[in-house]
Amino acid sequence: MRTDIGQVIHLADYRPTDFVLERVDLTFELDPTATKVESRLIFHRREGVDVTAPLILDGDELSLTSLLFDQEELDAARYDVTPDKLTIRELPAEAPFEITVTTIINPQTNSQLMGLYRTNGVYCTQCEAEGFRRITYFPDRPDVLAPYTITIIADKASTPLLLSNGNFLGGGNYDEGRHFAAWFDPHPKPSYLFALVAGDLGVVEDSFTTMSGREVALKIYVEHGKEARASYAMDALKRSMKWDEERFGREYDLDIFMIVAVSDFNMGAMENKGLNVFNDKYVLADPQTATDHDYANIEAIIAHEYFHNWTGNRITCRDWFQLCLKEGLTVYRDHEFSADQRSRPVKRIAEVRHLKSEQFPEDGGPLAHPVRPTAYREINNFYTTTVYEKGSEVTRMIATLLGDDLFRKGMDLYFERHDGQAVTIEDFVQCFSDVSGRDFSQFALWYHQAGTPLVTASGSYDPVAKTFTLSLLQMVPATPGQTEKAPMHIPLGLVLLGQSGAILSPSSVEGGEYERSVLHLTERQQTILFNGIAERPVVSLNRGFSAPINLQFDQTPSDLALIARHETDHFSRWQALMDLAMPNLLQAARDQKDGKSAKADKAFVEALLAAAQDESLEPAFRAQALALPSESDIAREFGGNNDPEAIHLGRQAVLTAIAEAGSTIFVQLYDTMKSNGTFTPTAESAGRRALRNAALTYLSYAEPTPHRALAAFGQADNMTEMLHALTLLAHRFPMSDETNKALEDFRSRFADNALVIDKWFSAQATIPGAGTLERIQTLMANPLFNAGNPNRVRALVGAFAFSNPTGFGRADGEGYRFIAKQILEIDQRNPQLAARLLTSMRSWRKLEPGRAKHAEAALRTVEAAPSLSTDVRDIVERTLKA
Ligand code: B3K
Ligand code: ZN
């Protein structure tokens, strides 16, 4: 039973705890349905705190079985207990005291996957953000740090492996076929970083020698028989450890680092101290079952969780409002890692695509919130792309403003000054201010003001005076709870290009700070004068996506084509191609509505095909150039009255026009990008496969029969190409016998690999058009589907809601009603999963009136349902709020 009704928590109400926690000693007697948890906590009253103040501990659905004070049973008059709170009174004024709390919990029935639960027979924990309070009564907040000693007792035969945080102290046999293990984590940590894993698993072992010569044992635990599929993850881990030493001077600090892969997990992974727990999707890979995208994700997430050891664990958050302190910064670090390991521009393109498709809609809709929010009802709903991805962009902007050396100095100072502490965004920013002498007070608005700034630019060239004038105007849109916005400090990467494509250096610049090719936009309106410009320049603005903004800048197709051909910053080349594409896609969607046939602008098609064939460019980049803006990108540009059907058909028409114009090029690319050796997951060979797949996509538009995709499917010797061919068959020829046969072949070949079956579900869930809903319903009845497993739900139901605008958004509203019903069912078991799925409705107000009405009605049925979780209630109410 839950008595917590989800009150609003405010940043302004923060105050430290009344009692300081000195030590934690936990003993778990594991049992599938009745695990006994004995927790011994040593506290003392914080100096200056009123001597009558009680000790209040958090709980969630707990039942207390015993409570001791200094080893004596506590008089019932001295405490009150409910499932979510334990209040103890009459405690010593100064002297330390010990509280021993015993609870019995049921891991088997814990379907929320928060706290201690069972997955495939393995005991596993997830404590961030507030899961620890589902294990025992505790001051469950990130600013309560203590060293932990953990003893785990379990049946030896069924549960041979007993893991927790820190270093292994010892273990041995216990009683009645049971055994025990003890672990000690010397690094004071908050409860959200606690972990316990116990079960019967296989292991892959390796070791790493740190920069000071210490040997660290590395272990990755997976289900028996899957060990071979963990080798890429191990390789990524070692590369991450090395990179963090070289790039940030950060050394690992325990004797052992462990990763455990589990199959039921609410998110990607969790950075528990010394014992990361992973969704197995982000650990297991081999060429036959994982795509290049999977490999890249594994590398990035392994790195991300490892990097948290310093940014998150050694230095943690004072309160959950500061979540971006660890998440935004750690995403920035993993992005930099991947950029160094792979291709920097291609990585940047992927980041920006993701930011624009996920974070921009969030920032422009009812769920918009600042990178550092000031209020929440359910903290789990704030693990958002705004906190993560925009948080990373804000960190990147600090690096852009300061340059590499000063940024590194600021990071060094942060590590030195705050190691072992729970701190705030202000503490973080202060370090950069201290090393640079720069005033960050205006810049800090990036943490406080929600909404994607819109920058409008226009330029004019004076051939007589040889000056170029750039006028800039910034506007931050109103967002929920924030109507008035102050101008931001926006670092705009900028160069002026001459007609030959070479960079023109101005003799001087007036009207704003301009250094290292970065212009500082700080006023609402700013006019910049570039002197000594000998010819009409082409402006490459927001180079490298230096700031997460929307840019309105009317550049001619020929100026964009010049950027696409000559910019030394390849991200900007890609951006110019997308800017060339967008008006074509918008016009094509309008033409669909008006019953006209679409055509693509010649300059655009030529620029795109030129990039596709340019052998001086890496294949991965060329593949990105060929991947047009997505349907949701186009919808965002329309900004309202959206008709997913017209957008889809318009985009198809543009694809067809490009396919027809470039068919010989695509045939040639498809052949030349064929791999000529054994598979490697390197970025370089992944790039060749990506380009080959892009060519195949266009060929399926140029030659509208399933034969080529079918042949590709039959010949593929790796999952990247096989899945792409299968998806093309399903999307382009959903009703053909060839497609049905390929889908069936795929299913029977991979029926015993749930992660591959997820791809099979997603390929079908994303088939455009109204008919897909029935297909989803049929697939949900398939024995391979499991509604209790988050990966399966996301692969089928989630892919439909998030990645199928015409299926989910079918005109009769059935898609919205279906998802609303799913949300209510899932909410009974797993509120976090349900709440996340509900965010697929966040852009409902931007739909054309017919669809918007259906979507709103579906949301109202969710809102009206009895016994909603706090998670879903919070999202549905914010989504509906005018
Ligand atoms: N810190 C975890 C996310 C926890 C989500 C809690 N609802 C994984 C990560 O960001 O690294
Ligand atoms: Zn993280």
Side-chain angles (χ1 to χ4, degrees):
M1 211 219 18
R2 205 186 156 114
T3 48
D4 169 14
I5 46 153
Q7 302 96 325
V8 180
I9 316 282
H10 295 275
L11 170 60
D13 294 341
Y14 174 84
R15 59 183 193 93
T17 53
D18 288 344
F19 292 86
V20 177
L21 179 62
E22 296 180 7
R23 273 187 42 193
V24 178
D25 222 307
L26 299 173
T27 303
F28 289 80
E29 287 183 47
L30 294 176
D31 178 275
T33 56
T35 288
K36 183 172 159 200
V37 185
E38 187 192 84
S39 161
R40 289 167 55 186
L41 308 174
I42 297 183
F43 288 102
H44 66 259
R45 195 178 295 268
R46 194 181 295 277
E47 220 181 293
V49 167
D50 183 47
V51 292
T52 62
L55 172 67
I56 301 175
L57 303 179
D58 305 299
D60 181 4
E61 297 186 319
L62 287 179
S63 68
L64 181 74
T65 54
S66 126
L67 180 60
L68 310 181
F69 173 82
D70 283 344
Q71 293 300 320
E72 302 275 328
E73 197 175 326
L74 191 67
D75 181 352
R78 280 177 64 193
Y79 71 91
D80 292 319
V81 67
T82 69
D84 49 45
K85 199 192 260 184
L86 172 60
T87 309
I88 307 175
R89 291 175 292 270
E90 296 164 45
L91 292 167
E94 278 170 27
F97 57 90
E98 185 185 82
I99 295 288
T100 308
V101 180
T102 306
T103 50
I104 304 269
I105 53 178
N106 186 341
Q108 190 75 48
T109 56
N110 182 355
S111 63
Q112 290 187 28
L113 314 184
M114 282 296 278
L116 178 69
Y117 64 95
R118 297 252 288 169
T119 158
N120 266 356
V122 175
Y123 293 90
C124 160
T125 54
Q126 172 55 36
C127 294
E128 187 177 0
E130 297 179 337
F132 194 75
R133 61 184 66 184
R134 295 171 55 77
I135 295 172
T136 182
Y137 291 99
F138 199 82
D140 189 16
R141 42 188 276 178
D143 62 344
V144 175
L145 279 65
Y148 283 53
T149 308
I150 306 296
T151 307
I152 311 169
I153 303 164
D155 173 61
K156 192 173 180 176
S158 63
T159 317
L161 191 69
L162 307 172
L163 309 177
S164 191
N165 319 86
N167 295 321
F168 181 62
L169 285 182
N173 289 330
Y174 202 59
D175 57 3
E176 297 167 3
R178 297 198 295 173
H179 69 148
F180 78 98
W183 294 81
F184 175 62
D185 182 1
H187 300 282
K189 68 165 175 293
S191 50
Y192 84 85
L193 290 173
F194 166 79
L196 176 156
V197 173
D200 188 2
L201 292 166
V203 65
V204 179
E205 299 187 71
D206 209 322
S207 76
F208 180 81
T209 308
T210 70
M211 59 203 232
S212 70
R214 274 189 314 102
E215 186 92 347
V216 178
L218 307 179
K219 301 190 189 223
I220 300 185
Y221 295 95
V222 295
E223 282 170 14
H224 288 293
K226 296 184 176 170
E227 292 86 347
R229 285 161 65 198
S231 59
Y232 185 76
M234 183 63 91
D235 176 56
L237 174 61
K238 288 189 288 181
R239 285 185 283 122
S240 306
M241 295 177 85
K242 184 116 196 82
W243 184 89
D244 212 15
E245 293 185 344
E246 287 170 357
R247 178 72 184 268
F248 284 101
R250 297 299 103 200
E251 186 177 7
Y252 187 63
D253 53 7
L254 289 166
D255 303 338
I256 181 167
F257 185 81
M258 297 174 281
I259 290 174
V260 182
V262 299
S263 50
D264 296 271
F265 206 61
N266 273 344
M267 59 260 174
M270 178 64 212
E271 70 264 24
N272 317 299
K273 184 75 187 189
L275 177 56
N276 288 185
V277 177
F278 269 63
N279 186 326
D280 58 359
K281 180 178 161 68
Y282 298 117
V283 172
L284 302 174
D286 64 27
Q288 259 56 59
T289 59
T291 62
D292 292 321
H293 191 64
D294 293 327
Y295 278 101
N297 276 335
I298 289 170
E299 181 182 80
I301 298 178
I302 293 272
H304 179 98
E305 306 310 333
Y306 175 73
F307 296 157
H308 267 314
N309 190 55
W310 275 95
T311 50
N313 301 5
R314 291 285 291 245
I315 306 179
T316 194
C317 303
R318 187 194 73 172
D319 51 68
W320 289 122
F321 297 101
Q322 319 298 330
L323 187 55
C324 67
L325 176 83
K326 72 178 181 80
E327 295 304 349
L329 175 56
T330 305
V331 171
Y332 171 73
R333 278 154 48 72
D334 86 57
H335 282 177
E336 283 297 293
F337 169 73
S338 295
D340 283 347
Q341 302 285 310
R342 293 169 173 254
S343 152
R344 185 162 281 271
V346 172
K347 172 67 182 149
R348 189 66 185 139
I349 292 166
E351 285 159 21
V352 173
R353 268 193 201 280
H354 178 65
L355 183 81
K356 288 188 169 182
S357 74
E358 306 297 326
Q359 199 276 327
F360 278 27
E362 180 168 275
D363 228 358
L367 302 178
H369 56 273
V371 171
R372 196 199 46 201
T374 54
Y376 62 77
R377 240 164 88 177
E378 173 51 66
I379 187 57
N380 283 319
N381 288 341
F382 281 83
Y383 287 76
T384 59
T385 52
T386 296
V387 168
Y388 277 66
E389 267 71 27
K390 190 174 181 182
S392 163
E393 293 302 318
V394 176
T395 312
R396 176 175 302 278
M397 285 190 286
I398 297 178
T400 302
L401 288 175
L402 295 186
D404 292 345
D405 291 349
L406 271 181
F407 179 73
R408 171 67 199 264
K409 279 205 175 76
M411 287 299 299
D412 287 351
L413 179 60
Y414 175 65
F415 291 127
E416 186 192 310
R417 188 182 275 176
H418 296 297
D419 187 14
Q421 298 175 3
V423 302
T424 63
I425 279 301
E426 282 77 7
D427 296 321
F428 177 67
V429 174
Q430 189 61 46
C431 294
F432 297 102
S433 180
D434 287 354
V435 295
S436 67
R438 209 177 237 289
D439 178 2
F440 274 87
S441 47
Q442 185 186 14
F443 179 83
L445 289 174
W446 281 103
Y447 289 105
H448 310 313
Q449 290 192 156
T452 308
L454 173 66
V455 173
T456 310
S458 62
S460 71
Y461 179 62
D462 181 339
V464 180
K466 306 231 175 300
T467 56
F468 178 71
T469 309
L470 183 68
S471 304
L472 297 165
L473 180 70
Q474 60 161 305
M475 196 276 292
V476 186
T479 48
Q482 291 187 336
T483 44
E484 298 299 316
K485 310 277 171 117
M488 315 265 264
H489 183 172
I490 302 177
L492 284 175
L494 182 156
V495 290
L496 303 179
L497 303 177
Q499 294 304 316
S500 70
I503 293 180
L504 306 172
S505 302
S507 54
S508 63
V509 177
E510 298 166 42
E513 186 180 342
Y514 179 66
E515 50 163 20
R516 287 177 286 109
S517 304
V518 177
L519 179 72
H520 296 237
L521 174 60
T522 53
E523 310 289 326
R524 206 174 286 283
Q525 202 164 0
Q526 218 165 315
T527 304
I528 317 294
L529 188 69
F530 297 86
N531 293 310
I533 303 297
E535 54 176 314
R536 185 188 75 81
V538 171
V539 192
S540 178
L541 194 54
N542 205 25
R543 258 189 133 203
F545 209 69
S546 58
I549 56 165
N550 278 308
L551 185 60
Q552 202 165 40
F553 187 18
D554 279 331
Q555 285 178 297
T556 61
S558 64
D559 281 4
L560 288 170
L562 185 132
I563 297 172
R565 194 172 277 273
H566 296 292
E567 241 291 18
T568 49
D569 177 84
H570 284 195
F571 169 85
S572 298
R573 286 199 193 190
W574 170 83
Q575 183 63 60
L577 289 169
M578 297 302 119
D579 290 346
L580 276 167
M582 191 53 90
N584 287 273
L585 294 161
L586 294 172
Q587 189 53 45
R590 283 187 208 106
D591 288 346
Q592 285 296 327
K593 279 187 151 172
D594 304 339
K596 288 195 251 164
S597 64
K599 43 190 183 314
D601 171 57
K602 207 162 155 263
F604 154 59
V605 177
E606 276 172 8
L608 197 70
L609 294 177
Q613 296 175 88
D614 185 344
E615 287 180 6
S616 71
L617 296 169
E618 53 188 327
F621 176 89
R622 290 149 72 192
Q624 286 288 355
L626 285 172
L628 296 185
S630 69
E631 289 170 28
S632 57
D633 292 329
I634 304 167
R636 215 175 44 252
E637 289 291 318
F638 270 113
N641 197 20
N642 287 340
D643 177 348
E645 194 70 27
I647 290 172
H648 172 71
L649 294 173
R651 187 173 183 275
Q652 303 259 74
V654 174
L655 280 168
T656 308
I658 298 166
E660 285 166 358
S663 62
T664 50
I665 296 166
F666 295 126
V667 170
Q668 198 213 350
L669 280 178
Y670 185 70
D671 292 338
T672 53
M673 289 298 132
K674 187 172 170 20
S675 111
N676 41 14
T678 48
F679 178 94
T680 61
T682 61
E684 200 274 324
S685 50
R688 294 176 63 87
R689 285 185 286 275
L691 184 53
R692 189 163 200 249
N693 279 344
L696 185 64
T697 301
Y698 281 99
L699 288 173
S700 85
Y701 285 87
E703 311 160 354
T705 74
H707 305 308
R708 199 181 280 268
L710 194 67
F713 178 75
Q715 288 156 12
D717 61 1
N718 60 79
M719 183 50 74
T720 302
E721 288 180 274
M722 181 180 284
L723 181 66
H724 185 75
L726 182 72
T727 305
L728 265 185
L729 282 168
H731 288 204
R732 298 280 296 128
F733 315 101
M735 305 314 267
S736 81
D737 292 342
E738 287 90 341
T739 298
N740 281 335
K741 183 164 179 314
L743 282 169
E744 182 45 31
D745 286 354
F746 190 91
R747 188 204 59 79
S748 65
R749 176 161 170 199
F750 296 108
D752 62 350
N753 185 327
L755 296 176
V756 182
I757 291 300
D758 283 346
K759 301 178 196 306
W760 181 76
F761 283 132
S762 293
Q764 297 177 79
T766 49
I767 296 174
T772 300
L773 179 56
E774 274 90 294
R775 198 186 276 262
I776 304 269
Q777 284 158 328
T778 311
L779 286 169
M780 284 181 75
N782 189 299
L784 294 174
F785 185 72
N786 168 5
N789 176 284
N791 283 353
R792 290 317 78 75
V793 172
R794 283 186 286 253
L796 185 59
V797 187
F800 178 65
F802 285 103
S803 310
N804 190 343
T806 50
F808 175 50
R810 56 188 252 179
D812 63 4
E814 283 297 330
Y816 306 131
R817 288 191 279 281
F818 167 76
I819 289 298
K821 191 167 155 265
Q822 293 307 315
I823 286 162
L824 292 176
E825 279 178 32
I826 296 167
D827 196 34
Q828 302 301 314
R829 293 187 298 274
N830 189 332
Q832 270 183 56
L833 188 62
R836 185 54 65 108
L837 185 58
L838 183 55
T839 63
S840 62
M841 308 276 283
R842 67 186 168 200
S843 298
W844 69 274
R845 274 205 175 80
K846 306 246 160 85
L847 294 164
E848 53 81 22
R851 286 178 171 87
K853 217 172 108 228
H854 288 305
E856 180 176 8
L859 283 163
R860 297 269 173 222
T861 62
V862 174
E863 189 191 27
S867 75
L868 283 186
S869 66
T870 317
D871 308 57
V872 167
R873 178 156 303 287
D874 171 47
I875 300 281
V876 75
E877 288 182 2
R878 282 194 281 146
T879 305
L880 280 166
K881 203 164 164 192

